[in-house]
Amino acid sequence: MTDREPFRTRIKVRHYELDTLGHLNHAVYHSYGEVARLELLEAAGALHGMGKVASVLLETNVVFRRELRAGDVVDVTCDVKFGSGKTFKMDSNIIKLDGTLAAEITCTLGLMDLEIRKLVADPRAAFEAAGADLKVLSTSE
């Protein structure tokens, strides 16, 4: 494993994303994770040009640590962890600029063959075959 930092993207909390208590709505945390996942895939060259294969979200979980309010600016990290099966993990942290961890997001994804509607057997190899930069996708590469 390398000591590289995971991919990051910056997001400002907008007032219309708040719940009635003035906190970031719980569903928006998932949206922030999705923004980071798409930005990471684009930076790695894995968002377009994958042919008839696309990433699919299979499971997501958020652990809420600290509240976020309108005007807060956060960095959302994203890092891929490949295993040996058809799925892989994408972990994200939502971190305030002062370093406070606001939320942890864990996701399970797969790469789906869009013609046969089945997950590909080795997503890491499929990313690599499509020319994706694995060093951008994962700090463990």
Side-chain angles (χ1 to χ4, degrees), residues 120-138:
V120 300
D122 186 349
R124 186 188 181 285
F127 276 124
E128 192 170 36
D133 187 342
L134 295 178
K135 289 185 172 141
V136 172
L137 281 179
S138 177

Side-chain angles (χ1 to χ4, degrees), residues 69-133:
R69 297 185 174 271
D72 284 344
V73 177
V74 296
D75 283 335
V76 184
T77 66
C78 194
D79 191 33
V80 175
K81 292 178 178 53
F82 292 106
S84 60
K86 294 180 179 182
T87 63
F88 58 99
K89 301 288 185 185
M90 275 193 177
D91 296 329
S92 296
N93 289 323
I94 299 177
I95 305 165
K96 293 181 174 186
L97 295 185
D98 69 3
T100 302
L101 178 63
E104 299 166 284
I105 305 171
T106 56
C107 299
T108 302
L109 296 97
L111 287 180
M112 181 178 282
D113 181 316
L114 299 174
E115 289 183 338
I116 62 172
R117 309 302 289 177
K118 301 262 184 207
L119 295 179
V120 300
D122 186 349
R124 186 188 181 285
F127 276 124
E128 192 170 36
D133 187 342

